[in-house]
Amino acid sequence: MEIRVLNESDAELSHKLRLQSLLGNPEAFLTTYEIQAARPIEEIREQLKPEDGRFTLGAFQAGKLVGSVTFVREFKPKIIHKGNIYAMYVAPEARGQGIGKRLVAELVRKASTLDGLEQINLTVISENAAAKALYASCGFEVFGIERNAMKAGDQYWDEENMVLRLK
């Protein structure tokens, strides 16, 4: 398995995996399949360009993208010490092999090199025991719960806020 920073040339692979994630686990993400499917590939290419304080990691098995996670650092002066994890996903056929843990560990390693970064935050659906266990195993701790954080139709989901303090 290879983990590396994705770039513009990975847009089609990334888009395919993102759509898979939204079909399989729609409750885990803020966006919807319909919104993501309608995005032009050029927009996805632009979003995948690594920048200082923003990158997406991809996990590859036999040349196939099977997992990804995005890091985005805050940019406003009073919160620039924080960054966030978004869109963490490992395809069902690749789960149970430690790929998620390796993705998060590499994200933390890479983000930790950013000058002045002190903490990494994320949110996770309260009912997602596997994801919560993964993040806890990487050192993240719950610091709050938002009830009814997301809603689709008549269904609500609570989210747990987690943090990894780097200093």
Side-chain angles (χ1 to χ4, degrees), residues 6-140:
L6 300 181
N7 60 45
E8 305 93 312
S9 67
D10 299 304
E12 287 81 5
L13 294 173
S14 178
H15 188 57
K16 182 179 176 185
L17 186 68
R18 184 76 166 133
L19 292 176
Q20 178 185 344
S21 74
L22 294 168
L23 280 176
N25 300 96
E27 76 286 352
F29 304 101
L30 293 176
T31 193
T32 66
Y33 177 88
E34 294 76 18
I35 291 169
Q36 193 68 20
R39 288 183 67 203
I41 198 70
E42 285 306 319
E43 186 178 307
I44 295 162
R45 278 191 185 97
E46 189 64 31
Q47 187 178 11
L48 278 179
K49 285 183 183 176
E51 300 173 2
D52 189 32
R54 179 186 175 84
F55 58 87
T56 297
L57 296 175
F60 292 83
Q61 279 186 329
K64 181 181 179 190
L65 182 63
V66 296
S68 66
V69 63
T70 297
F71 174 81
V72 180
R73 186 178 190 168
E74 297 290 352
F75 63 91
K76 294 182 179 175
K78 292 182 180 178
I79 57 173
I80 199 165
H81 66 288
K82 299 189 289 186
N84 299 286
I85 289 179
Y86 295 108
M88 172 70 184
Y89 180 73
V90 174
E93 68 273 12
R95 293 179 187 164
Q97 302 173 36
I99 293 171
K101 188 164 187 164
R102 287 185 59 191
L103 277 167
V104 173
E106 179 60 15
L107 181 144
V108 169
R109 187 202 65 73
K110 185 167 174 49
S112 295
T113 66
L114 297 171
D115 189 42
L117 188 73
E118 297 176 16
Q119 67 187 58
I120 301 173
N121 296 335
L122 61 86
T123 59
V124 61
I125 295 297
S126 294
E127 293 82 16
N128 192 338
K132 291 188 322 185
L134 164 67
Y135 297 133
S137 76
C138 293
F140 285 82

